[in-house]
Amino acid sequence: MRTTQAIDSVARSVYLAMVDLPDAGITELAARLREAEETVRQGLEELSALLLVVPGDTATGWRPVDLELGLAAMLARQQAELARHRLQVEDSRLEVTRLLTEHGRAGRDSAPGVEWLAGADTVWRRVAELAEGCEQEWLTVGPTERLATAASGGVPPVEEILRRRGTAARTIVLESVRNDPDAMDRLRGSGDGIGSIRTLPSLPAWMILCDRTHAVVPVVGVQSVAGAMVCCVESVTEAFAALFARLWKEALPLAEARPRTRGSLSLQEQHVLRLWAQGLTDAAAARRMDVSLRTVRRLSEKLTDRFGAQSRFQLGALAIAQGGILVEDTV
């Protein structure tokens, strides 16, 4: 069952054709779109479910609603549904953190190829062990300070181990690192390695891949790493490697200046609009982008004024209507 509703390409074409030809019937719309009449009817059913058409006295029996109002209704329904799922994900994350804290390394043998670690020191000792044995490539996704710097306890920083061993490394960090002079100085201090660092405004997951044979997925608390899962199951590590490849392709090299995209929107503004459209709260968006809640709320005020919106739902609808984000960004 679909948990969210997004307008597909056929339904979108039907909607736009109805706007252009308000008196057209299904046969005429089908001819205009070069689609079967049954396909047009299915498109109308989808538009009805999305509240983008309502019963009317036209030849099709349906009348397209104002785009802004229709998108606002669609986004409201999507955000309510997604908010419920976000709460379920947060509850699951907190439960994993609790189990890691309670059971520690006792769960290491609970499943073949899966190792559970509890506590930051334990995580970084294991990560350092993997770095010492890494022979081909070290891939990292996540906030620089939390994933690249070892905890206390005499464990050398991972980047120091990799540099000593001459191991190739690539890293994707959050775009917000560009606003942190100390972090930028540390990254620039990596010398020629800066070309292997890229940034994204938000990250779907934090992870480390060692030789694409071991995946480390940190469980992050409010302020620090609470534990981690280490997995060497091939199907899992291949999936994380594919995710890294996609993110790397989308990411911006750290050495390049941040471009402004979609008209006057910055990458940060575009991404926070996308996260809101996907149902994330301000707090959840702040965690995903690793910025303060105050920063997200400041962006909200700025974007609301810029688009002339009266509500968050209207802001999302106007952003889509004006090309700030795409309909596909809402799922």
Side-chain angles (χ1 to χ4, degrees):
M1 180 181 295
R2 297 171 60 182
T3 58
T4 60
Q5 289 181 299
I7 184 169
D8 62 25
S9 58
V10 173
R12 185 188 302 112
S13 298
V14 171
Y15 176 85
L16 295 175
M18 293 178 72
V19 172
D20 290 340
L21 303 172
D23 298 323
I26 291 179
T27 300
E28 188 175 353
L29 291 174
R32 168 74 175 268
L33 300 174
R34 298 181 181 178
E35 298 280 0
E37 292 186 12
E38 181 60 28
T39 301
V40 173
R41 290 191 179 92
Q42 292 174 357
L44 286 169
E45 291 178 2
E46 172 135 0
L47 291 170
S48 174
L50 293 171
L51 302 182
L52 289 176
V53 297
V54 294
D57 56 359
T58 65
T60 62
W62 298 97
R63 174 177 58 82
V65 303
D66 178 82
L67 178 61
E68 181 180 323
L69 295 176
L71 287 175
M74 180 180 68
L75 287 172
R77 186 168 58 254
Q78 285 182 323
Q79 289 180 327
E81 180 70 19
L82 286 169
R84 287 192 290 271
H85 286 280
R86 299 293 178 188
L87 288 175
Q88 292 174 359
V89 170
E90 285 297 307
D91 289 343
S92 298
R93 183 183 65 81
L94 292 173
E95 179 64 14
V96 169
T97 302
R98 184 187 67 79
L99 290 173
L100 285 170
T101 303
E102 289 181 358
H103 298 290
R105 297 177 68 92
R108 289 185 60 168
D109 301 325
S110 61
V114 178
E115 178 182 354
W116 294 97
L117 308 174
D121 289 343
T122 302
V123 171
W124 292 122
R125 281 196 297 270
R126 184 69 178 103
V127 169
E129 290 174 4
L130 290 172
E132 288 285 3
C134 187
E135 297 181 352
Q136 298 178 4
E137 188 175 39
W138 186 269
L139 308 176
T140 305
V141 177
T144 309
E145 295 302 321
R146 295 186 185 177
L147 291 186
T149 304
S152 60
V155 181
V158 171
E159 56 191 23
E160 179 181 311
I161 298 173
L162 299 175
R163 189 180 303 114
R164 169 169 50 80
R165 290 179 51 82
T167 304
R170 287 188 290 161
T171 302
I172 302 174
V173 298
L174 282 162
E175 187 76 24
S176 56
V177 75
R178 297 176 184 268
N179 301 321
D180 185 338
D182 292 338
M184 287 296 291
D185 287 343
R186 192 175 68 79
L187 291 173
R188 292 191 182 98
S190 62
D192 295 338
I194 195 169
S196 62
I197 302 172
R198 296 188 178 186
T199 65
L200 282 173
S202 63
L203 299 173
W206 298 356
M207 63 183 179
I208 298 171
L209 281 174
C210 172
D211 286 338
R212 307 196 182 205
T213 60
H214 288 77
V216 181
V217 183
V219 176
V220 181
V222 176
Q223 295 181 331
S224 63
V225 173
M229 178 193 74
V230 182
C231 181
C232 60
V233 178
E234 185 177 2
S235 59
V236 175
T237 57
E238 286 181 351
F240 277 115
L243 173 61
F244 183 92
R246 181 177 65 80
L247 294 175
W248 184 260
K249 184 177 180 180
E250 296 174 358
L252 179 71
L254 187 65
E256 295 184 12
R258 286 181 288 192
R260 298 190 70 84
T261 59
R262 305 274 173 92
S264 61
L265 290 179
S266 68
L267 283 174
Q268 186 183 54
E269 291 166 342
Q270 180 185 337
H271 271 260
V272 77
L273 281 169
R274 180 181 294 129
L275 295 176
W276 284 331
Q278 291 172 357
L280 272 72
T281 62
D282 287 352
R287 285 194 299 273
R288 180 75 70 85
M289 299 172 70
D290 203 39
V291 298
S292 69
L293 181 58
R294 180 180 298 178
T295 296
V296 172
R297 288 176 175 169
R298 186 168 61 248
L299 285 170
S300 177
E301 294 175 359
K302 180 179 178 181
L303 290 169
T304 298
D305 290 341
R306 181 182 302 177
F307 282 94
Q310 301 300 317
S311 67
R312 180 65 58 79
F313 296 146
Q314 187 183 28
L315 174 60
L318 289 171
I320 293 175
Q322 297 180 26
I325 57 174
L326 304 175
V327 174
E328 290 80 1
D329 293 335
T330 65
V331 294

